[in-house]
Amino acid sequence: MTPDFIQKAIAICDDKIAKKGEGVGLSFYAFFKNRNDDPALLMQVAQWWIQTHELDHFEKAVKIREMLISDV
């Protein structure tokens, strides 16, 4: 994942947390628009989420944000 994408994903986590609280969950699809305009990036994120970290479909946004920050 590119540093720009990681920063975008962190911002999305921050937004979700601000709107719905610390207990809000999300999936990696939250980082993409409904239309898949970058399948290669989607696959990179899916690999990071599913294969690398073996995360459940929904995870706490706080947890994901911390993981992304440590990847920067």
Side-chain angles (χ1 to χ4, degrees):
M1 295 186 297
T2 66
D4 287 341
F5 178 80
I6 292 172
Q7 291 301 321
K8 174 186 167 185
I10 291 168
I12 290 169
C13 288
D14 287 341
D15 182 61
K16 296 273 186 190
I17 294 164
K19 288 180 179 175
K20 298 190 176 184
E22 299 252 332
V24 68
L26 53 79
S27 77
F28 66 88
Y29 290 113
F31 305 132
F32 297 92
K33 297 177 183 174
N34 287 337
R35 183 175 178 178
N36 182 11
D37 56 355
D38 192 344
L41 181 58
L42 177 67
M43 292 306 293
Q44 286 176 21
V45 176
Q47 182 177 5
W48 179 88
W49 191 286
I50 298 166
Q51 289 182 318
T52 304
H53 296 288
E54 298 179 349
L55 300 170
D56 290 335
H57 184 76
F58 283 95
E59 292 286 347
K60 301 289 183 197
V62 173
K63 174 182 177 178
I64 299 303
R65 180 182 61 192
E66 295 306 314
M67 293 172 73
L68 290 165
I69 289 170
S70 70
D71 281 356
V72 173

